[in-house]
Amino acid sequence: MFGLRIVVGDQEEGARKSIKDMLKRAGHSVIAEAGDGRTLSQQAFNRSPDLVIADALLPLRDGFEVARVLDEQRVAPVILVMNEDYYWVSLDKIKETGIYGCLVRPLSEVSLLSQVEIAWACFQRIRRLEEDNRKIKETLENRKIIDRAKGLLMEQRGLSEQEAFRLLRKASMDRCLSLEKIAKAVIKGEI
């Protein structure tokens, strides 16, 4: 795994330093840090990190709110850090929020680094799925446009579906335009 660009948020400077040291030893770079949730959110939006590590109980905006906002905007995956007692009372909240990992204090280097890798991999998988979903939607929309254009050609020129499709494909090749653009032109009455 290559080094990630990470933003760290914890109200205790010593905790931030400890996390930064562990991340640096693993080849990651901490590009910003914050002692409160508002600053952490701003840093994440301004710096576009690969990952954010946040204390769940940050002042001004807690780690859950930071995670929710960053997840909605797909800025970066968020790993929350908390004490064991708070973990158990927050379990339902953890499950509902856009959190990619959760660490319980005291942190170990192994648990931190494994959560970083898992969070990054999950975030990348979600991005790929969203891109695949976008492409599928686009393909379906294009298919609808082509079918509508075929229907118009069939109705206007008395063609079979196969003939209408061949006509669209020929126009696409002749004009060096995508089939979708030709279909849109047919629908607009330009062809």
Side-chain angles (χ1 to χ4, degrees), residues 30-46:
V30 175
I31 59 170
E33 59 181 280
D36 65 78
R38 186 173 297 135
T39 304
L40 179 63
S41 296
Q42 291 168 346
Q43 291 287 1
F45 279 106
N46 292 336

Side-chain angles (χ1 to χ4, degrees), residues 74 120-136:
R74 291 291 185 261
W120 177 248
C122 289
F123 189 69
Q124 293 308 305
R125 186 173 50 237
I126 288 170
R127 279 187 165 170
R128 283 190 304 273
L129 290 171
E130 287 174 340
E131 179 60 20
D132 290 347
N133 188 37
R134 185 196 63 74
K135 287 178 183 176
I136 289 168

Side-chain angles (χ1 to χ4, degrees), residues 8 15-23 53 81 107 112:
V8 176
R16 289 195 310 266
K17 183 179 178 348
S18 175
I19 292 170
K20 286 181 347 185
D21 290 345
M22 287 187 262
L23 292 170
I53 298 173
V81 179
L107 299 183
L112 174 65

